[in-house]
Amino acid sequence: MVFSSLCFLYYFLPLTAALYFFVSDRLKNAVLLLASIVFYAWGEPQYIFLLGISVLSGYGFGLLAEKYRGKKSAFRWCIISVAVSLSFLLYFKYADFLLANAAVLTGGRMPVLHAALPVGISFYTFQMISYTVDVYRGETAQKNFSNLAVYITMFPQLVAGPIVRYRDISGQLAVRMHTWDMAAGGIRRFVTGLSKKILLANQLAELCGAFRASQEKSVLFYWLYAVAFMLQIYFDFSGYSDMAIGLGRIFGFRFPENFRYPYVSASITEFWRRWHISLGAWFRDYVYIPLGGNRVGRARQFLNITIVWMLTGLWHGASWNFVVWGLLFAALLAAEKLWLLALLKKCRVLSHIYVLFSVLLSFIVFNACDMGQAFEDIAGLFGAGGIPFVSPEAFYCLRSFGIVILAAAIGATPAAGSILKKVSENRVAGRIVNALEPLMLLLLLLVITAYLVDGSFQPFLYFRF
């Protein structure tokens, strides 16, 4: 089950919310846990047991880490817990990748496991690790098993984040407030995210699909594809994050922000402070800083950056193009620390062009099935192979999707939000906006419903990871 489905919108969510607000505060977590199990089992029933084992192991190891805190055995239990969590991820996500590369290195033949990737395993594994590490560092272990299970399995952020750390939400698991304003804000945020997904990301996905199926490639078509995918992945993932944050607010939780208009960044350093914020913060706090961070010598610092970004790339997928994608950002971040950042500050316009172009190239690598296709797509941007500059199909797609691309480009900046904020600050205009907002949200939901009834299914991109 996905958020952008009729089943979720008109059956699962209303029934869950009705039951949640009907029961007493003491039973609200039980309702969330039951709903989350149903939500996950709807699409991945065979992996409910795996999810349960992950939660149970984290619960037990967390209690042991707290019990022996201050002793060497506490560290041992923490390491064992992390190893158990990672073992599930390694088997389902990386086993075939490792076996294939081992076969290449040895020249032999290795069995292929073909293990299907459980949806959300990368996200809930990182949350489980953050729990046991936070307990080892001094956070109070969760004694109530169902509360910990709610933290790990909560359906708003179970399958694609944001990655919510235990220390940020432990208090909310026990006590949280429910207000009409918070619920209304959650609904607004959810519908906004759903609009990003259905009205922008899905339409851009059709352009990317048309490009891949085309036999009439041209320089213009390559650029249209690159720009479309760059915008698609932003609206797809930020839309999901908006929906998750909105759902969290409806049920009384405050999840961390995951995107802050990354395409307005003036450096790659700034870009990664705005893009997938929860993942960047996780790697900073649980990998980069424990390795020494920037408290070590320059050479060691760059090694730490390389390790973190190679792991970030691998987290997104078991393929060499993801490794290259991560190492590309490692190189850019290292260059910015050495000299590039000072140069970028001298010219804001050039710095924005540099960021957009670098990110565009990186997402070409990210979305390629292998490095061969990545090189081909990048070469196509510059007319390599004698391809024409334009083609009839490229012109057709430009006419068909031009308005969507323009709307997405504007929507990826704070411009619309800034205008709305200024209008709302006016007393009369603000009252009109507040009065019309429920109607506009309802109209958006009706349009989205029409698309869902008539359109084809477009899964969230980050479900792959």
Side-chain angles (χ1 to χ4, degrees), residues 94-310:
Y94 302 105
D96 284 345
F97 175 72
L98 294 172
L99 289 171
N101 283 278
V104 171
L105 290 174
T106 60
R109 298 186 66 180
M110 296 286 181
V112 179
L113 302 178
H114 293 299
L117 182 67
V119 171
I121 190 171
S122 297
F123 289 91
Y124 70 70
T125 296
F126 271 28
Q127 290 200 176
M128 196 75 263
I129 290 173
S130 82
Y131 166 70
T132 50
V133 173
D134 285 353
V135 170
Y136 169 75
R137 290 174 175 176
E139 193 72 35
T140 302
Q142 180 58 251
K143 306 302 189 298
N144 187 314
F145 176 77
S146 64
N147 281 1
L148 181 65
V150 168
Y151 161 64
I152 297 297
T153 67
M154 200 185 315
F155 74 86
Q157 47 81 60
L158 172 60
V159 295
I163 300 170
V164 182
R165 288 183 285 184
Y166 177 71
R167 70 186 186 196
D168 296 331
I169 203 175
S170 57
Q172 299 173 50
L173 289 169
V175 179
R176 54 188 179 274
M177 293 181 61
H178 301 87
T179 66
W180 284 109
D181 287 343
M182 194 169 176
I187 293 170
R188 182 191 309 118
R189 189 70 178 269
F190 178 83
V191 175
T192 300
L194 188 60
S195 301
K196 285 183 177 181
K197 168 62 177 171
I198 302 300
L199 304 181
L200 293 175
N202 282 6
Q203 309 311 308
L204 294 165
E206 290 187 16
L207 172 54
C208 294
F211 169 80
R212 283 291 176 221
S214 174
Q215 301 298 317
E216 298 180 14
K217 298 291 197 303
S218 63
V219 173
L220 176 61
F221 213 171
Y222 274 103
W223 278 97
L224 280 175
Y225 158 72
V227 171
F229 182 75
M230 182 178 171
L231 291 168
Q232 179 202 349
I233 194 171
Y234 168 69
F235 283 104
D236 191 281
F237 194 24
S238 70
Y240 183 94
S241 295
D242 285 341
M243 285 185 268
I245 292 168
L247 289 170
R249 287 183 184 174
I250 292 172
F251 295 108
F253 291 92
R254 293 190 179 275
F255 298 154
E257 292 294 332
N258 217 18
F259 290 87
R260 290 195 178 96
Y261 299 108
Y263 291 149
V264 303
S265 302
S267 67
I268 296 299
T269 302
E270 182 185 357
F271 175 83
W272 278 103
R273 289 173 183 158
R274 293 172 174 269
W275 179 282
H276 204 169
I277 299 168
S278 62
L279 180 67
W282 194 96
F283 273 108
R284 179 196 65 209
D285 293 344
Y286 297 105
V287 181
Y288 183 67
I289 291 177
L291 285 173
N294 55 10
R295 304 185 308 274
V296 293
R298 182 71 80 177
R300 176 64 183 275
Q301 183 184 2
F302 290 154
L303 176 61
N304 293 344
I305 291 172
T306 302
I307 292 172
V308 165
W309 283 96
M310 184 174 68

Side-chain angles (χ1 to χ4, degrees), residues 36-112:
S36 299
I37 292 172
V38 172
F39 177 85
Y40 195 78
W42 192 273
E44 299 278 310
Q46 69 273 32
Y47 291 126
I48 279 291
F49 183 72
L50 174 66
L51 182 59
I53 290 295
S54 298
V55 176
L56 185 61
S57 66
Y59 176 74
F61 287 126
L63 292 177
L64 289 169
E66 182 182 57
K67 180 180 179 179
Y68 295 100
R69 186 176 293 150
K71 302 178 181 178
K72 289 184 178 180
S73 54
F75 179 72
R76 186 187 311 125
W77 288 120
C78 180
I79 292 298
I80 292 173
S81 176
V82 172
V84 170
S85 295
L86 288 178
S87 67
F88 299 141
L89 190 62
L90 284 170
Y91 175 80
F92 286 101
K93 192 168 184 175
Y94 302 105
D96 284 345
F97 175 72
L98 294 172
L99 289 171
N101 283 278
V104 171
L105 290 174
T106 60
R109 298 186 66 180
M110 296 286 181
V112 179

